[in-house]
Amino acid sequence: MCGIVGYIGKEKALPRVLSGLKFLEYRGYDSAGVAYVKNGNVEIVKEVGKIVNLENKINYSEETFMGIGHTRWATHGVPSIINSHPHRVGKFTVVHNGIIENYLKIKEMLINEGVNFISETDTEVIPALLNYNYNKEKDILKTIEVTLKELEGSYAIGIICDDDLDNLYAARCGSPLIIAKDKTGNFIASDVPAILSYTNKYILLEEGEIAKISSSNVEVYNNKLDKVEKEEMIFEGSQDSAMLNGYEHYMLKEIHEEGKVFSETVNYYVDGNSFKNTMPEFKDYKNIHIVACGSAYYVGCIGKSLIEEFANIPVTVEVASEYRYKKNFYDKDTLVIIISQSGETADSLAALRKAKEDGIDTLAIVNVVGSSISREADYTMYVKAGPEIAVATTKAFLAQATLLSLLAVKLSNKLELLNEFVGVEKYIKEILDKDYKKYANVIYTHNDTFFIGRLVDYALCLEGSLKLKETSYINSVAFQAGELKHGTISLVTDGTPVIGICTDESIESKTISNIKEVKARNAFVIYITNNDIEADFYDLKIVLPKLHKLIMPIVTVIPLQLIAYEVAKLRCCDIDKPRNLAKSVTVE
Ligand code: AGP
């Protein structure tokens, strides 16, 4: 969701701000803009659509040494030049990621004070309120402190004030923001990839903190304006890990990293037949709630299946946007697990905070190191997926499934099961090396597809269906195989693609019966199985290796991801940045 990059230093600012914004494209956006200082004045350029449209309006050689840039994912008001950031009122120019929930109240107050607004955005109230408060406070830091206290919602903001063009200001509450330094100056950014071309060292702004940044100095203050010391963090991945590296798309590159991701996740927690101390010691919980959004919710459904089967602990899986508002039945014997690739998803973060407020133990399963969810949970377990750039999650899903499977072993106390995790990388490679174009050729001309499976295979159907929808814009529905005939089978007609998944022998005959029901209605069936039988109930088949139940769901997702990728490619979709979507959903 919206991306922020700012630079102040000895080098020209615009090339650095624009290149940083390009590394944040994966977050999703529909317009972009920059503000920079030229001859003592703040200039603003904005454009709708891709960053290249903005670049066409910009003179890169501009002698400017301070600038802030922004990619906007529209929430309040359509994508338009006026609604794009930066927004400027009086002496203040602002870029913002997040939502100001009380903006209407603030806007009304300021309109009564004679302030004129030109956009439909919530963001415009920030520079307006800063400017209003500055007229009283006269001091920039004090003005920011007072203004932030009046804002409700979530924000990361970059600020330029006309009265101090030697400093860039930044603040954060609820949305991530980092500050990085290279030998030429300082940056602010929403995420690490934006600064990796220049440095891998950065500091994270914490909730409520305000930063004053010059070309040579960074001062960070808490919400009472006391100075705070910040710990420098080092991003461990290489620049390559955040770049395409010869692949046509990040999604494809990230899928092909899955063998390594599996092994790195296992090796981080396991040493031979025992767990390392990176795996927390848990007390005996009587029940578990898994809370997440989107794919992270679906991987939670896999976790439920594995934890219930191997550890005998009942698990409920809940969508975070519901969980945060509903009545939850938990107590001191409940563990709430929040799963999130980004660690910044607003609803997942709110669900975590709610559970913590109620005194419930929380465990975060997160990919992005130092993210809000990782820092606020009682226990944090990182998956070792590395930076994931494509909006559609793939390798992080596989890493989360791997970690949940390890967690099932941990909670079961049956350490001998760890043997099942040995040698899996070679099977992942075999699955990755197959050609999935022939399946995509069947699907890509259709408007509807179905995924059917039972139990853990149903969780995979949910993920396969979501991958297809988000990357290729084909409508797709996932069903528990036995449930389709209770209404939805009426949508199956001649040639409708149905992907049937069965990786569990104990329910194989039942799933096959359901597949036969759609085959009898002339569906085109792609059967995904780990039991290579010749039969006439499918048109095409994908045979997976027969691995242990703890491993099967981890590898079964790979063909689903690659089919979605190939279909999206055939349909010429914007694979890494699907329309309307954002990588990190920091608004509720
Ligand atoms: C998956 O491909 C999606 N882009 C989306 O469903 C995602 O999994 C969801 O928004 C949750 O994000 P998180 O893991 O960063 O919390």
Side-chain angles (χ1 to χ4, degrees):
M1 222 147 243
C2 306
I4 292 175
V5 181
Y7 173 76
I8 179 164
K10 293 189 196 120
E11 294 293 320
K12 287 187 181 159
L14 284 178
R16 291 180 167 229
V17 170
L18 268 294
S19 90
L21 284 182
K22 283 185 195 156
F23 281 105
L24 298 184
E25 280 192 294
Y26 71 92
R27 296 167 68 87
Y29 70 104
D30 33 48
S31 59
V34 288
Y36 56 95
V37 179
K38 187 184 164 190
N39 301 330
N41 294 314
V42 176
E43 309 273 338
I44 295 177
V45 186
K46 315 198 258 190
E47 192 47 275
V48 176
K50 297 290 174 200
I51 291 175
V52 67
N53 302 350
L54 176 69
E55 283 183 301
N56 291 336
K57 289 173 95 175
I58 280 177
N59 176 5
Y60 266 108
S61 58
E62 209 75 87
E63 290 284 319
T64 173
F65 301 95
M66 159 148 83
I68 47 177
H70 187 264
T71 46
R72 172 176 185 251
W73 189 83
T75 56
H76 295 63
V78 294
S80 68
I81 291 183
I82 285 187
N83 288 335
S84 309
H85 303 207
H87 287 280
R88 178 173 169 82
V89 179
K91 294 182 169 180
F92 287 84
T93 306
V94 164
V95 288
H96 165 222
N97 171 19
I99 284 187
I100 304 304
E101 287 167 1
N102 60 338
Y103 82 104
L104 283 174
K105 207 169 128 209
I106 297 172
K107 198 166 176 173
E108 197 182 304
M109 181 279 282
L110 290 171
I111 288 172
N112 286 336
E113 294 290 327
V115 179
N116 188 28
F117 287 88
I118 56 170
S119 80
E120 301 160 88
T121 65
D122 54 332
T123 300
E124 199 181 0
V125 302
I126 304 175
L129 192 57
L130 284 165
N131 197 57
Y132 176 77
N133 287 331
Y134 185 59
N135 288 333
K136 289 187 276 179
E137 302 291 344
K138 309 290 181 212
D139 175 84
I140 300 173
L141 272 175
K142 183 72 190 157
T143 298
I144 296 174
E145 184 228 352
V146 168
T147 303
L148 298 187
K149 294 213 163 79
E150 293 178 59
L151 301 179
E152 287 167 19
S154 63
Y155 50 80
I157 44 180
I159 307 166
I160 297 176
C161 174
D162 289 2
D163 284 352
D164 181 11
L165 296 180
D166 293 327
N167 285 290
L168 183 61
Y169 293 83
R172 170 224 161 128
C173 173
S175 301
L177 201 70
I178 62 164
I179 301 169
K181 181 183 186 62
D182 77 349
K183 51 185 186 312
T184 70
N186 288 309
F187 297 82
I188 58 170
S190 300
D191 201 356
V192 175
I195 50 99
L196 275 183
S197 309
Y198 306 101
T199 177
N200 66 347
K201 298 194 180 104
Y202 63 95
I203 58 172
L204 265 173
L205 269 195
E206 303 281 343
E207 298 292 83
E209 286 180 346
I210 302 167
K212 179 179 177 184
I213 305 154
S214 71
S215 64
S216 56
N217 194 32
V218 176
E219 289 169 6
V220 179
Y221 300 86
N222 66 16
N223 60 5
K224 295 187 189 100
L225 288 191
D226 302 321
K227 260 197 193 170
V228 285
E229 287 304 314
K230 300 294 294 182
E231 188 193 336
E232 190 170 72
M233 304 183 74
I234 298 181
F235 177 76
E236 285 167 4
S238 61
Q239 172 93 76
D240 281 355
S241 64
M243 293 184 79
L244 271 173
N245 230 1
Y247 283 90
E248 200 176 339
H249 297 100
Y250 283 109
M251 182 177 175
L252 189 63
K253 177 199 168 218
E254 287 162 4
I255 294 171
H256 279 270
E257 288 168 357
E258 290 182 332
K260 189 169 137 254
V261 162
F262 173 87
S263 298
E264 286 190 357
T265 302
V266 173
N267 293 339
Y268 188 71
Y269 291 100
V270 177
D271 184 7
N273 268 344
S274 53
F275 283 107
K276 293 180 177 168
N277 60 11
T278 42
M279 173 66 80
E281 286 304 327
F282 298 105
K283 68 177 202 190
D284 289 334
Y285 290 105
K286 291 207 171 64
N287 61 75
I288 291 174
H289 292 186
I290 296 180
V291 188
C293 303
S295 290
Y297 169 83
Y298 299 146
V299 85
C301 298
I302 294 176
K304 169 186 167 73
S305 186
L306 298 178
I307 293 169
E308 287 186 342
E309 172 149 3
F310 291 96
N312 269 316
I313 303 172
V315 180
T316 49
V317 191
E318 308 250 14
V319 168
S321 54
E322 298 284 309
Y323 193 78
R324 61 184 294 189
Y325 294 116
K326 68 188 268 290
K327 179 170 178 178
N328 294 315
F329 294 92
Y330 45 31
D331 59 25
K332 61 178 184 19
D333 292 323
T334 308
L335 175 66
V336 171
I337 303 178
I338 308 288
I339 306 177
S340 175
Q341 187 285 129
S342 62
E344 299 293 348
T345 301
D347 285 317
S348 306
L349 182 58
L352 168 76
R353 287 177 178 164
K354 178 182 175 185
K356 281 197 76 175
E357 262 167 43
D358 291 342
I360 310 301
D361 286 358
T362 54
L363 162 66
I365 293 184
V366 176
N367 188 35
V368 177
V369 177
S371 53
S372 303
I373 291 173
S374 73
R375 283 180 295 134
E376 292 191 26
D378 299 308
Y379 304 96
T380 294
M381 294 174 74
Y382 287 111
V383 296
K384 293 292 176 180
E388 193 179 61
I389 305 295
V391 166
T393 182
T394 53
K395 62 173 179 170
F397 183 97
L398 184 132
Q400 289 157 346
T402 306
L403 188 45
L404 286 163
S405 190
L406 289 173
L407 191 63
V409 176
K410 171 74 186 171
L411 297 173
S412 75
N413 287 319
K414 293 175 193 137
L415 290 184
E416 68 280 7
L417 288 170
L418 290 175
N419 283 328
E420 305 300 337
F421 291 79
V422 177
V424 174
E425 192 173 335
K426 117 171 166 284
Y427 293 110
I428 293 180
K429 187 166 177 339
E430 277 170 23
I431 299 169
L432 286 169
D433 285 346
K434 287 189 181 157
D435 186 4
Y436 294 89
K437 290 191 189 74
K438 66 177 169 195
Y439 312 103
N441 276 328
V442 174
I443 296 170
Y444 89 104
T445 51
H446 288 267
N447 292 326
D448 291 299
T449 56
F450 293 90
F451 287 74
I452 59 172
R454 288 170 179 259
L455 306 178
V456 76
D457 293 325
Y458 170 60
L460 289 153
C461 287
L462 289 164
E463 175 60 6
S465 171
L466 179 67
K467 276 301 79 95
L468 187 66
K469 280 185 283 238
E470 66 180 335
T471 58
S472 71
Y473 316 147
I474 291 178
N475 181 40
S476 162
V477 183
F479 259 89
Q480 291 99 336
E483 186 64 13
L484 196 67
K485 58 179 159 292
H486 295 282
T488 310
I489 200 167
S490 63
L491 296 175
V492 174
T493 57
D494 278 4
T496 304
V498 176
I499 291 110
I501 306 177
C502 184
T503 62
D504 179 350
E505 232 173 311
S506 71
I507 40 131
E508 188 182 54
S509 62
K510 306 292 171 197
T511 305
I512 290 177
S513 296
N514 301 133
I515 294 176
K516 285 181 177 166
E517 289 159 8
V518 295
K519 189 70 198 130
R521 271 99 192 151
N522 285 331
F524 188 100
V525 174
I526 300 171
Y527 184 44
I528 302 182
T529 177
N530 57 357
N531 189 15
D532 190 4
I533 43 165
E534 287 306 319
D536 58 4
F537 63 84
Y538 56 79
D539 298 280
L540 289 173
K541 162 176 78 169
I542 298 174
V543 182
L544 297 168
K546 212 177 187 63
L547 300 170
H548 191 271
K549 272 186 162 184
L550 283 162
I551 307 297
M552 222 42 244
I554 303 170
V555 301
T556 305
V557 76
I558 302 169
L560 303 175
Q561 296 169 343
L562 282 165
I563 289 173
Y565 172 80
E566 295 294 352
V567 174
K569 205 171 152 192
L570 284 170
R571 288 168 66 96
C572 301
C573 294
D574 193 354
I575 295 182
D576 287 332
K577 299 182 284 288
R579 70 180 177 216
N580 303 338
L581 297 185
K583 181 68 180 163
S584 172
V585 183
T586 50
V587 296
E588 74 168 281

